[in-house]
Amino acid sequence: MNKATIQLLILLCSLCFINSKVNANEFCDTPLVLSASNQFSGAVKEAQLAYDKICKSLNSGAIKHDELYEILYSFHQILSSEAKSAMPALADHLGTFQNPLIEIIDGEISPRAPSYMVNREELSVTSITLFAQGKNNILSNTIPTTPANTCLQNTACRKSLDEYVKLVANVYSPFTLAPILLVEPFLLKKDREWMDYIDNARAQTYFDIGITTWLYEIAYGKEPDIFSSPPQFQYFTLRPMAIIENVNEAVDGQQTKSSLALEVFGVNAWNDACLGYACGTSFIITHVDRAEVDKFGWGFAFHVENDFSFGFTKHGDDTGFFVTVDLLKLIIDKKSSFKQYKEGFRQNEN
């Protein structure tokens, strides 16, 4: 998801929930529990102090802008200093959270909700966006590809990034709009869903992806949902399969043979839809040379856990049984599949 996509979702969320404020007592009744590595020890202490002061002020009925800014300023300065040491790859790109994230709207203090998003293009990380969403605007900063990948490929740096953003979010939690806080989990959930789909679902050809996006368009219309989840069901047409087939009625020595099959049409519920397992079925046609058995056959395949398939065939009056694995997963390029799905969903928006 690119930067514009993230900003659009956040704006939509804020417009829908802008009047839904959270009572400070809902947060402040429970002491703030912070956990972070020693690299943020100073920021943790300041976070606790800032949180306690904010809750005390809010519970007393009001808080002045100068007072709030002063409370938060020390926390942000120490956090920024420790963050640059903990994440040297990102040291030049952390200005978004360097100062208090508050603004004044119509004489009222309005905090911004901090978060970050890993942006991807065709499964490759292109950047990291740090942003702080308020009622009227977004503070954002895009960390370029090279430092973004340098940090994300380093376990310690990635952990520090998560701790860094979480510390800021926790301090602002008493007076942050709850729906905006849901933006980061929502975006991360979508990202994980697509990665899971591309990695684990049955491999699909261009025909399969095309018919899947077309059928979903018919079912749900061309709704402008650029944050679509992966399809729950995969559809297949004219998909080749290599199978091992056994026909008992064939002459000795030719009963079990490899065969080429073609999925004429199939469907697969790829994500644990059948009693906790992925499952699907397809109508297939087969061709294999055997003495005294029809070369062409037809039958049904049953798919289990996206990788394994078995089924039954008919060659005239003779019945066969076959098994196979999803060999196309070794051939189909995941990046190309992701790109085609992305283009298909974009076309459906127009």
Side-chain angles (χ1 to χ4, degrees), residues 32-338:
L32 179 64
V33 178
L34 295 173
S35 61
S37 60
N38 291 332
Q39 298 176 99
F40 291 106
S41 58
V44 169
K45 293 179 182 178
E46 288 296 322
Q48 188 67 64
L49 290 173
Y51 179 89
D52 292 342
K53 290 179 180 179
I54 289 169
C55 289
K56 181 178 179 181
S57 297
L58 289 176
N59 288 333
S60 68
I63 186 170
K64 295 180 180 179
H65 172 264
D66 291 344
E67 178 187 359
L68 177 59
Y69 194 92
E70 182 180 349
I71 291 172
L72 293 170
Y73 182 79
S74 178
F75 161 70
H76 279 277
Q77 292 302 301
I78 293 177
L79 176 67
S80 296
S81 176
E82 292 182 334
K84 290 177 181 179
S85 298
M87 301 176 286
L90 308 183
D92 296 331
H93 307 281
L94 301 176
T96 306
F97 301 155
Q98 187 170 352
N99 295 303
L101 305 175
I102 53 177
E103 56 185 342
I104 304 297
I105 301 177
D106 297 328
E108 294 185 0
I109 297 172
S110 177
R112 296 183 174 96
S115 193
Y116 82 99
M117 182 63 193
V118 177
N119 307 312
R120 287 187 172 90
E121 183 72 22
E122 300 178 15
L123 304 186
S124 298
V125 173
T126 57
S127 61
I128 298 173
T129 300
L130 297 175
F131 56 90
Q133 165 66 25
K135 285 185 178 181
N136 289 346
N137 55 41
I138 300 172
L139 296 178
S140 64
N141 179 44
T142 299
I143 301 171
T145 303
T146 299
N149 277 287
T150 299
C151 181
L152 294 179
Q153 291 171 7
N154 182 283
T155 302
C157 187
R158 179 61 184 264
K159 180 181 177 182
S160 295
L161 179 61
D162 291 335
E163 292 178 346
Y164 171 65
V165 178
K166 187 176 181 180
L167 277 171
V168 184
N170 283 337
V171 169
Y172 282 79
S173 61
F175 47 21
T176 301
L177 293 177
I180 296 179
L181 285 176
L182 296 176
V183 169
E184 178 192 7
F186 177 85
L187 290 173
L188 294 177
K189 180 174 181 290
K190 295 296 180 185
D191 185 58
R192 286 193 295 266
E193 285 176 354
W194 276 104
M195 295 305 102
D196 188 31
Y197 182 79
I198 296 299
D199 288 338
N200 297 319
R202 290 191 77 210
Q204 290 185 288
T205 67
Y206 286 106
F207 287 118
D208 301 331
I209 295 174
I211 193 172
T212 299
T213 54
W214 178 66
L215 289 172
Y216 268 80
E217 176 188 332
I218 293 176
Y220 299 106
K222 294 185 178 182
E223 298 180 359
D225 181 8
I226 56 179
F227 303 101
S228 299
S229 294
Q232 292 181 323
F233 296 93
Q234 297 176 283
Y235 296 94
F236 304 89
T237 184
L238 305 180
R239 183 184 190 273
M241 297 172 61
I243 65 176
I244 303 297
E245 183 185 36
N246 178 271
V247 178
N248 284 331
E249 291 83 356
V251 298
D252 291 343
Q254 295 192 13
Q255 294 172 329
T256 301
K257 298 188 70 174
S258 60
S259 172
L260 180 64
L262 190 68
E263 291 184 54
V264 179
F265 184 80
V267 61
N268 182 56
W270 70 276
N271 191 22
D272 304 339
C274 302
L275 300 177
Y277 296 93
C279 64
T281 186
S282 300
F283 175 76
I284 68 168
I285 56 175
T286 66
H287 178 273
V288 62
D289 283 325
R290 284 190 180 92
E292 301 181 9
V293 175
D294 289 354
K295 295 180 180 180
F296 289 96
W298 62 271
F300 292 93
F302 302 95
H303 315 299
V304 181
E305 288 291 89
N306 300 312
D307 293 317
F308 172 76
S309 299
F310 69 94
F312 303 91
T313 56
K314 291 291 291 184
H315 295 264
D317 295 329
D318 301 321
T319 300
F321 173 80
F322 69 87
V323 295
T324 186
V325 294
D326 190 7
L327 297 177
L328 277 182
K329 278 192 173 181
L330 304 177
I331 303 172
I332 297 295
D333 181 61
K334 294 180 180 180
K335 290 186 177 181
S336 297
S337 298
F338 182 73

